[in-house]
Amino acid sequence: MSHPLLIKNGRVLDPASGTDTLRDIAALDGVLVSPNALRGLSGVEEFDATGLVVCPGLIDLHVHLREPGRPDKETIETGSRAAAAGGFTTILAMPNTIPVTDSASTVAWIRQRAQEKACVHVLVCGCLSQGQKGEVLAPFASLKKAGVVALSDDGRCIQSAELMRRAFEHAHMVGLPILDHCQDESLTADGVMNEGYWSTVLGLHGWPAIAEEIMISRNAMLADLTRHRVHCQHVTTAGGARILREARSRGVPISGEICPHHIALTDAGLEGYDTNFKMNPPLRTQADADALVEAFREGVIDILASDHAPHCDFEKEVEFQEAPFGILGLETEAGLFLEHLHHRHGIPLMDIVRALTMNPAKLLQIPKGTLAEGAEADITVLDTETPWTVDKHQSASKSRNTPFHGQTLRGRAVATFVSGRKVWDLAGFYGE
Ligand code: DOR
Ligand code: ZN
């Protein structure tokens, strides 16, 4: 194996050690080593990171890969390429595939496929309930044995507090974190966008903030009761952030994530009925977006994720009510967070990198998100300053459903190394 790698002269940001220094980092046999260990070796691959930020490989714990079931939207191969092109070295595949990931055999199939086709690490999330129907719990122990690192019914939300309580208790026994898509379905019925001024103006059914907040509250109470860790996916409302702040201040084991679109866009963006602005949960108000940024600044929300949700053009090019929820995320994620958290709101790079590396690694209990010697050499190089323009036609994803086409952002990933090998940089993909 060998393959010595030297990334030179970068600003190395390692949240796990709290260090921010100009230095070289090195890898050998896919593992991080001291640059001294490469002395005298021939065939060292060098990457000049002058003026660039070098950080642990980014981790996205909220990705829809669509395989098995809908390879016309995305495959494990194309989704992992989109991840690499976005700077991600590890992604967590959500279980709302066809079939859903509620059995050991489906987990095995995804892991095998990822082994053969993926250019980044693909971790698997199992279902909370059988068939994601919210009626009977999935077999957590056998899912864990098959290799899942978390449980979620993402896309759906278990409505029964009783069943969710059992889910917390069983998940605690097997030691798997719960990731919850927080949605009280009785309050969202036909909702397709945020309930408020714009839903009234546009004549579309509303999906109210309180439908999310009720479930975040429930989750906080169940986490408190069972002392089991729950992570609230795609938090979108000021009220949701307030509930998390209160619960975390009491030591309740609960966390939340922000997706880029919920701080970069608002429900006013739906004025043209463009279905690329339709996702679940929906875009909210500017006040909500501002509250999310402040919650992130405070550390109340300390994980960032994409909710990468590819859909085909033929599915999105229909009336607003009929279109599926979801947008692409992986390739614009780093740029949007750098633009909207760092450049516009002055949030330190270290906090952003921590929320994309160490914090998701801790939640998933995986030995990643660090540049410590001896760790696997998953490394991302970021250019945090240079403006670039999003072009959906250049996407490595199979789908094109992004509302960010044509937008200029400051900052993006420029190179991605997985297990010590460069898999992508601005010139393209490697190792194929
Ligand atoms: O917008 C969304 N799309 N939200 C979800 O919860 C599911 C996802 C999907 O699978 O398309
Ligand atoms: Zn979701």
Side-chain angles (χ1 to χ4, degrees), residues 133-395:
K133 291 195 170 85
E135 292 162 2
V136 180
L137 293 183
F140 293 178
S142 70
L143 288 172
K144 164 123 183 185
K145 217 166 162 189
V148 308
V149 297
L151 299 165
S152 174
D153 265 358
D154 184 46
R156 301 294 305 275
C157 175
I158 290 182
Q159 300 295 293
S160 157
E162 192 275 336
L163 190 71
M164 197 59 166
R165 176 189 178 176
R166 302 293 161 222
F168 273 66
E169 290 168 348
H170 286 246
H172 197 66
M173 285 194 286
V174 299
L176 288 171
I178 289 178
L179 319 181
D180 196 29
H181 168 116
C182 302
Q183 177 178 2
D184 182 319
E185 292 171 4
S186 70
L187 286 164
T188 59
D190 303 322
V192 293
M193 70 171 293
N194 182 45
E195 178 183 288
Y197 173 83
W198 281 106
S199 63
T200 308
V201 169
L202 299 175
L204 293 171
H205 285 289
W207 185 144
I210 197 173
E212 174 176 319
E213 293 156 2
I214 279 180
M215 285 307 184
I216 297 177
S217 296
R218 172 198 70 175
N219 288 345
M221 295 171 94
L222 290 176
D224 199 9
L225 177 73
T226 62
R227 302 314 296 170
H228 186 62
R229 172 76 182 264
V230 65
H231 173 71
C232 299
Q233 300 177 286
H234 39 46
V235 177
T236 65
T237 72
R242 194 164 57 236
I243 297 159
L244 287 175
R245 181 181 297 110
E246 189 278 333
R248 285 165 68 95
S249 75
R250 289 189 294 114
V252 174
I254 189 168
S255 56
E257 81 197 15
I258 303 177
C259 300
H261 40 281
H262 291 124
I263 56 170
L265 304 171
T266 67
D267 57 356
L270 275 71
E271 197 173 4
Y273 295 94
D274 180 347
T275 57
N276 285 322
F277 289 74
K278 180 176 178 182
M279 67 289 289
N280 181 5
L283 299 174
R284 304 288 188 191
T285 66
Q286 190 60 52
D288 290 306
D290 292 344
L292 294 176
V293 171
E294 288 317 305
F296 184 79
R297 192 194 303 279
E298 284 172 59
V300 165
I301 294 177
D302 63 359
I303 290 181
L304 299 172
S306 67
D307 194 5
H308 178 80
H311 293 292
C312 299
D313 285 350
F314 76 85
E315 297 171 296
K316 280 289 202 181
E317 289 167 357
V318 295
E319 280 179 78
F320 199 87
Q321 300 91 298
E322 306 303 324
F325 292 97
I327 59 167
L328 298 182
L330 286 163
E331 290 163 281
T332 45
E333 179 173 0
L336 286 164
F337 284 135
L338 288 167
E339 176 68 43
H340 288 274
L341 294 174
H342 180 60
H343 293 297
R344 297 197 189 179
H345 288 99
I347 291 177
L349 287 176
M350 184 68 96
D351 293 343
I352 296 169
V353 169
R354 190 185 299 110
L356 286 164
T357 57
M358 188 180 100
N359 290 347
K362 267 194 185 163
L363 172 65
L364 301 177
Q365 306 169 88
I366 53 172
K368 293 188 177 292
T370 170
L371 289 175
E373 285 169 22
E376 190 161 4
D378 294 340
I379 305 156
T380 298
V381 182
L382 301 168
D383 174 346
T384 60
E385 307 302 318
T386 307
W388 63 288
T389 301
V390 178
D391 179 356
K392 66 180 179 181
H393 305 295
Q394 302 290 318
S395 173

Side-chain angles (χ1 to χ4, degrees), residues 12-51:
V12 178
L13 274 183
D14 183 17
S17 60
T19 53
D20 177 353
T21 43
L22 276 183
R23 63 184 171 103
D24 298 346
I25 64 167
L28 192 60
D29 292 327
V31 169
L32 291 161
V33 295
S34 156
N36 294 332
L38 301 191
R39 284 226 182 101
L41 292 182
S42 58
V44 177
E45 177 184 351
E46 295 198 356
F47 185 94
D48 183 7
T50 305

